[in-house]
């Protein structure tokens, strides 16, 4: 196993990582309460009656954007058995001195081996060495396994967008959670 900086990313390499998505039997339900003097927001883990399935297909435009980000020199790949087994595509946010992870994926055949944890740790270390104050990412309230993983790696929920994926009250079950880990 070797982690190294990505200098290029082909569509073929990207697609060899497999399907990007998840299935979950839990979600973090957002409960809000507003009064004149306060606003309360609570996320509570609840069991789902049916699995929530999300299969994301990255289109050619997404892959082209990832290729551009890789050329910035902050993205990493984890190689095992002579192939790309995991990757973290990142982009510097100069306005707030953070490194944002746009795409983080471990090939299905390499999961549960600690590769994701090692790769994420190296992203944080790279950000620290390059003077970024934090690493940020976005995930969904329906991806409880990812939230648990990121929290175990020291990330905390620092922002929520209740209507990023759909207007509230439309029956959409997804909300965006923004997570961060400080590098200092």
């Amino acid at each position: 196993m070797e982690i190294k900086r990505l200098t290029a990313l082909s569509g073929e390499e990207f697609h060899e990582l497999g399907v990007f998505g998840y299935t979950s039997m839990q979600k973090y339900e957002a409960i809000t309460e507003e009064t004149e003097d306060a606003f309360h927001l609570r996320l509570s883990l609840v069991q789902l009656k049916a699995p929530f399935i999300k299969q994301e297909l990255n289109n050619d435009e997404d892959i082209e954007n990832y290729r551009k980000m890789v050329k910035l020199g902050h993205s990493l790949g984890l190689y095992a058995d002579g192939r790309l087994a995991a990757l973290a595509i990142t982009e510097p946010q100069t306005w707030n001195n953070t490194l944002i992870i746009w795409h983080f994926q471990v090939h299905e055949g390499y999961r549960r081996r600690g590769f994701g944890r090692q790769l994420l740790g190296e992203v944080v270390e790279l950000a620290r060495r390059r003077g970024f104050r934090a690493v940020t990412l976005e995930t969904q309230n329906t991806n409880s396994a990812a939230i648990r993983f990121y929290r175990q790696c020291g990330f905390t929920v620092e922002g929520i967008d209740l209507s990023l994926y759909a207007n509230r009250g439309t029956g959409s079950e997804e909300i965006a959670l923004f997570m961060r880990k400080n590098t200092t």
Side-chain angles (χ1 to χ4, degrees):
M1 189 273 305
E2 177 184 18
I3 296 174
K4 56 186 176 180
R5 186 174 62 85
L6 291 175
T7 57
L9 179 66
S10 71
E12 182 180 311
E13 252 186 327
F14 185 80
H15 290 299
E16 284 180 5
L17 283 170
V19 175
F20 184 65
Y22 61 91
T23 300
S24 180
M25 287 301 298
Q26 300 174 316
K27 74 171 186 175
Y28 283 89
E29 184 174 67
I31 301 157
T32 60
E33 177 187 344
E34 285 188 63
T35 67
E36 191 173 305
D37 300 325
F39 177 81
H40 300 276
L41 174 64
R42 186 177 75 233
L43 295 175
S44 296
L45 187 62
V46 297
Q47 297 297 316
L48 300 173
K49 293 179 182 172
F52 181 91
I53 300 169
K54 183 163 187 173
Q55 296 297 324
E56 290 191 34
L57 301 174
N58 288 285
N59 60 34
D60 291 339
E61 183 180 345
D62 294 330
I63 294 170
E64 185 56 33
N65 286 333
Y66 295 156
R67 282 185 184 140
K68 290 176 185 175
M69 288 179 211
V70 163
K71 290 178 183 177
L72 298 174
H74 303 283
S75 298
L76 299 175
L78 183 144
Y79 294 83
D81 305 320
R83 66 183 286 197
L84 182 64
L87 84 159
I89 298 174
T90 66
E91 180 183 34
Q93 305 291 293
T94 55
W95 69 274
N96 68 356
N97 195 31
T98 62
L99 188 65
I100 186 169
I101 298 173
W102 284 108
H103 188 88
F104 188 86
Q105 183 176 356
V106 178
H107 183 280
E108 189 173 17
Y110 292 93
R111 292 182 188 155
R112 308 255 185 261
R113 295 188 190 182
F115 289 171
R117 183 178 302 277
Q118 287 177 314
L119 181 59
L120 190 56
E122 190 58 34
V123 168
V124 172
E125 180 57 26
L126 178 139
R128 187 192 62 71
R129 284 192 315 264
R130 294 187 177 177
F132 292 102
R133 67 184 184 87
V135 175
T136 63
L137 58 88
E138 181 266 329
T139 190
Q140 301 80 41
N141 66 316
T142 52
N143 197 346
S144 59
I147 294 165
R148 186 172 32 262
F149 168 73
Y150 293 130
R151 290 182 72 205
Q152 288 171 351
C153 292
F155 283 72
T156 58
V157 175
E158 293 223 351
I160 299 170
D161 189 332
L162 299 171
S163 58
L164 182 65
Y165 297 102
N167 291 333
R168 297 227 350 130
T170 62
S172 171
E173 297 295 322
E174 280 187 291
I175 60 173
L177 302 182
F178 297 91
M179 301 183 77
R180 171 182 311 261
K181 181 171 182 172
N182 293 332
T183 58
T184 56

